[in-house]
Structures are given as C-alpha cells and as structure tokens.
Amino acid sequence: MKTVILNGKSRAAELLLDLKGLVERLVSTYNVTPKLAIILVGDNIQSSIYVRNKLARAREVGILAEVVKFDANCPIESVLNSISRLNIDPSVHAIIVQSPLPSGWNFGLISQAIAPEKDVDGLHPLNVGKLASKLNQGFVPCTALACLELARLASFEFAGKLAVVVGRSNIVGRPLGQLLLNNDATVVICHRHTSELKEITTQGDLVVLATGQPKYFTKDYFKPGSIVLDVGISKVDGQLFGDVDFASLIGYVSYITPVPGGVGPMTIAYLLSNTVQSFRSHLGLN
Ligand code: NDP
C-alpha cells in the first residue's frame, strides 16, 4: 500500500498566507493590529521552543505577540493578576498559557481565569461547554482543529467510521473527541487505564496518538490502510520523535503525519486563526 505522508508544514503555510492577507486588510481598514499574549511559566526548554515558533509565525502574518514570563517559583497569584490585567487590556485580543506548566501548577485554575472571549486555546469551561454542546460559537483548542483538518486532508469520511483517540488531556484528546463526534464519527477515547488498547486501536479507521510516549505505537497497533495522526512530540537524545514508530508504518497505513512537520505547524496556524477570529469579534465583525 502507498502511504501518503500528510505535510502539515505546507498546509499550515497555506493557512498562514490566507491569514496574512486577512490581517493586512483588517489592519488597513481599522488601523488596529491583532495582539496575542503568551504566558510562559518556568524555563522548560520544550515550552520555550514552542513559544519561539509561535512568535515567529505570528510575526509573519502581522500579529503582535508578547510573552509574559514568570519564574517557576513565583506565586500563582502573580500569574492570575497578570491575566486579569490582560483580560481588560483593549489592545490584547488573545491570551494563552503555554503548557506544560511546571509540576504542581494548577492549569485548570489558570485557564479559567482567562476571559472566554480572549481564550484562543479554548480551555475556559465556557468554551469547553460550547464545544461539548455543539454550539459552534466558542474557541476550540488548536491541536484538535489541526487534527480535524488533517483528517479531512486524508479524506476521512467521519460518518460510519471509527475514530480512536489515545490520550484524554484537556488540550488534545477530549476536545478532539468532541470535534470528531460533532462531525458524525464514532469515537473511542483511550488512556492509561484502557485495557486491551491494541484491540481497540486496530479497529480504528482513524487513530490519533497524543500520549507523549516516543515511538510506542508500532505497526501491530493499527489496521492496514488506516489513517494515523501523530500528535506526540518527545525529545530523545536531541532528536524529536512522535508517539508512532513512523518507519514501520510506511507502506502499511494509508496516511500518516510526520514528527516534526505534521500536527505541530498546523496547531500554530490554528492558534493564529483563532487569534484573528477573536480580533474580528473585537472589531464587531463576527
Ligand atoms: P498529557 O500528559 O496531558 O496527556 C497524555 C495522555 O496520554 C493522558 O491521557 C494519558 O493517560 C495518555 N497516555 C500516556 N501514556 C499512555 C499509554 N501508554 N497508553 C494509553 N494512554 C496513555 O499530554 P498532552 O495531551 O498535553 O500532550 C500529549 C503529547 O502531545 C505530548 O507529547 C505533547 O508534547 C504533544 N503535543 C503536541 C502538540 C502539537 O501541536 N503537535 C500540541 C500539544 C501537545 P492518563 O490520562 O490515564 O494519564
């Protein structure tokens, strides 16, 4: 079987080009520039790389992006106070908190503090609830949107098909499960306590891995011809790996995303797309 490698980088470049045109038109019409604030706590190297990539892509499309940095040992109140200020700052249209936070930090408490209309990562309970109740008005987490688009690029039919998502985090697994369900797929979400995981994943027409276990998912976790989206990113000996044992799936599955260059660039494109959506709302355009 021929395996198509889904090029997230080039699809993301197309999305960013469209966004750039849109931002240019909005800025010249309204004389205001969209602005994203990124809260970064601690000095996790991976988080710093994610933030650097977000800043670079934002600059390319004409979005101002500001990093608000905190020491891992600072009190949570400092971060909450900063979010309160950003919430009421009219020059800021979008706020995200870079994950992972240092251990012991309560991500839920922090994401609940972000004003829902600026919560472009879609983690505030109001936005979570809107997605769950299929209201289509709130912000949807960017990685979930990225995976949905990649599934579409792979011609996944949704209705009548089984989608298996491994990982149940608030930023990836849960919202992606909802999105796939809202698009009429039959969805199973798996996690560490799922027994007979392999028996489930080998039934999936679409299988999404978001566990952070490098190269864990070998060929025997998939059925021939399935679509595989690899969200995981892990650094081992200075090299990036996904959750999937990529090489063993070539010639076996129909579509697969590479790491790097698959879900990652698409996630950033959707973050900036959500930022522009928030900016448009601020201008009274949505
Ligand atoms: P979390 O650690 O929050 O969640 C991991 C999930 O995977 C948990 O639900 C966990 O189960 C499950 N899991 C872990 N190991 C296994 C296993 N062996 N079998 C079954 N389930 C397992 O991680 P995130 O969701 O934040 O991120 C997941 C990965 O995706 C990371 O590598 C991260 O770097 C990457 N990522 C990539 C993005 C991108 O743009 N490409 C964006 C966001 C994340 P349980 O709940 O039971 O513990």
Side-chain angles (χ1 to χ4, degrees):
M1 154 159 306
K2 183 180 179 310
T3 302
V4 176
I5 298 172
L6 289 162
N7 191 334
K9 205 171 172 185
S10 70
R11 178 67 188 125
E14 289 170 5
L15 293 169
L16 292 173
L17 198 62
D18 288 350
L19 274 182
K20 186 172 191 273
L22 179 58
V23 169
E24 277 168 6
R25 287 194 295 281
L26 290 170
V27 171
S28 71
T29 308
Y30 295 93
N31 203 24
V32 192
T33 305
K35 185 170 174 184
L36 165 69
I38 303 173
I39 300 199
L40 178 61
V41 184
D43 49 11
N44 179 301
I45 291 173
Q46 207 59 34
S47 292
S48 304
I49 295 170
Y50 290 148
V51 168
R52 204 186 314 138
N53 288 338
K54 286 171 184 174
L55 292 176
R57 299 294 89 74
R59 208 174 303 123
E60 281 165 21
V61 299
I63 293 174
L64 295 172
E66 174 195 5
V67 182
V68 188
K69 276 198 82 171
F70 292 91
D71 191 87
N73 300 317
C74 80
I76 191 167
E77 287 72 24
S78 306
V79 177
L80 295 175
N81 289 338
S82 170
I83 292 174
S84 298
R85 281 194 295 277
L86 295 167
N87 281 344
I88 56 170
D89 182 342
S91 74
V92 173
H93 310 100
I95 306 167
I96 63 163
V97 177
Q98 182 60 49
S99 69
L101 286 171
S103 61
W105 280 71
N106 186 334
F107 195 86
L109 198 63
I110 292 181
S111 52
Q112 277 178 53
I114 298 174
E117 68 276 12
K118 295 189 182 184
D119 167 40
V120 287
D121 254 349
L123 295 170
H124 188 281
L126 198 73
N127 286 319
V128 175
K130 283 180 177 174
L131 174 62
S133 50
K134 217 182 166 186
L135 279 174
N136 299 333
Q137 293 163 349
F139 288 111
V140 175
C142 316
T143 307
L145 289 172
C147 290
L148 190 76
E149 174 64 6
L150 287 161
R152 286 193 179 120
L153 286 178
S155 308
F156 182 59
E157 288 164 356
F158 298 95
K161 298 292 177 186
L162 179 68
V164 179
V165 180
V166 188
R168 57 173 168 177
S169 70
N170 289 344
I171 63 165
V172 189
R174 285 168 199 262
L176 178 58
Q178 289 289 349
L179 265 189
L180 292 165
L181 187 62
N182 291 352
N183 280 275
D184 299 329
T186 301
V187 180
V188 179
I189 301 182
C190 306
H191 45 81
R192 280 180 217 268
H193 304 280
T194 301
S195 55
E196 311 299 344
L197 180 62
K198 218 178 261 184
E199 279 182 18
I200 300 170
T201 55
T202 46
Q203 291 177 55
D205 301 298
L206 170 76
V207 185
V208 186
L209 296 317
T211 68
Q213 307 291 328
K215 294 176 84 173
Y216 184 90
F217 294 91
T218 44
K219 190 174 172 179
D220 48 330
Y221 277 89
F222 305 95
K223 73 171 173 183
S226 56
I227 299 167
V228 177
L229 304 182
D230 192 354
V231 177
I233 307 174
S234 308
K235 204 169 201 175
V236 183
D237 297 333
Q239 212 187 327
L240 290 181
F241 292 100
D243 290 353
V244 167
D245 183 22
F246 186 81
S248 74
L249 295 187
I250 300 299
Y252 183 73
V253 298
S254 59
Y255 290 86
I256 189 167
T257 55
V259 177
V263 178
M266 294 287 284
T267 295
I268 297 182
Y270 279 102
L271 167 67
L272 299 178
S273 169
N274 279 356
T275 299
V276 173
Q277 187 188 321
S278 178
F279 180 57
R280 285 175 55 87
S281 300
H282 169 83
L283 297 172
L285 297 174
N286 288 338

